[in-house]
Amino acid sequence: MNAAARQTIAAALDVALVDLINLGLLAKQAHWNVEGPMFRSLHLLLDELADLARNGGDEVAERAITLGHHPDGRAATVATSSLPDVPAGAIRDSDVVARFQLILDAVVERLHRAIDSSTDDPVTQDLLTTIAAGIEKQAWMICAHA
């Protein structure tokens, strides 16, 4: 793989890492604060989503290192994420569903862009595709509550 392709892939991995770290934090925030009749099922799904995001972020960071790129998962970097946010405090179950539709759509869209930009690296493509598939499945399960 040439240097330009490696740099493009590293940039895509950086975006994916920031999104996945932020997704994990957002999922935990909602997990702790969801209220309403769908509390139990959403509470469990959000915990699964947080684990999926955390594990995916770890795999993305390790792939970046494998390619010779140093990932940046510091709080200051993650704070630059443009994902939709969740509020502090209690959040109604229906609001969790609506917000996570937006959040997960944004994550999946950017993962698909990263997949497209890594055509020179089938290993990275496979990794990102696997992560995207897991997130799409979680999105389906959360959105089924709408």
Side-chain angles (χ1 to χ4, degrees):
M1 177 181 343
N2 67 40
R6 194 176 294 268
Q7 190 171 28
T8 298
I9 292 165
L13 290 171
D14 283 343
V15 171
L17 178 61
V18 166
D19 279 351
L20 290 167
I21 292 170
N22 195 22
L23 176 59
L25 294 170
L26 294 170
K28 275 300 191 182
Q29 179 67 23
H31 164 84
W32 296 321
N33 291 290
V34 64
E35 293 181 342
M38 297 181 286
F39 164 81
R40 176 93 171 123
S41 59
L42 287 173
H43 182 77
L44 295 173
L45 284 172
L46 290 163
D47 211 20
E48 290 174 15
L49 179 59
D51 287 344
L52 181 67
R54 187 185 69 246
N55 292 333
D58 190 52
E59 291 178 17
V60 164
E62 289 173 354
R63 182 64 188 157
I65 287 289
T66 301
L67 295 173
H69 176 72
H70 293 277
D72 186 356
R74 297 172 302 147
T77 304
V78 175
T80 66
S81 174
S82 62
L83 291 181
D85 206 357
V86 297
I91 181 171
R92 293 296 307 163
D93 49 7
S94 57
D95 291 336
V96 167
V97 172
R99 286 179 187 270
F100 274 86
Q101 284 177 317
L102 298 173
I103 292 165
L104 295 172
D105 283 350
V107 171
V108 167
E109 179 183 323
R110 290 202 283 259
L111 281 170
H112 281 264
R113 277 191 251 144
I115 292 164
D116 291 343
S117 69
S118 59
T119 56
D120 292 335
D121 182 3
V123 174
T124 297
Q125 269 196 324
D126 184 56
L127 170 64
L128 295 171
T129 300
T130 300
I131 293 168
I135 292 172
E136 287 176 6
K137 181 178 178 182
Q138 287 299 116
W140 163 65
M141 289 182 174
I142 289 170
C143 293
H145 290 79

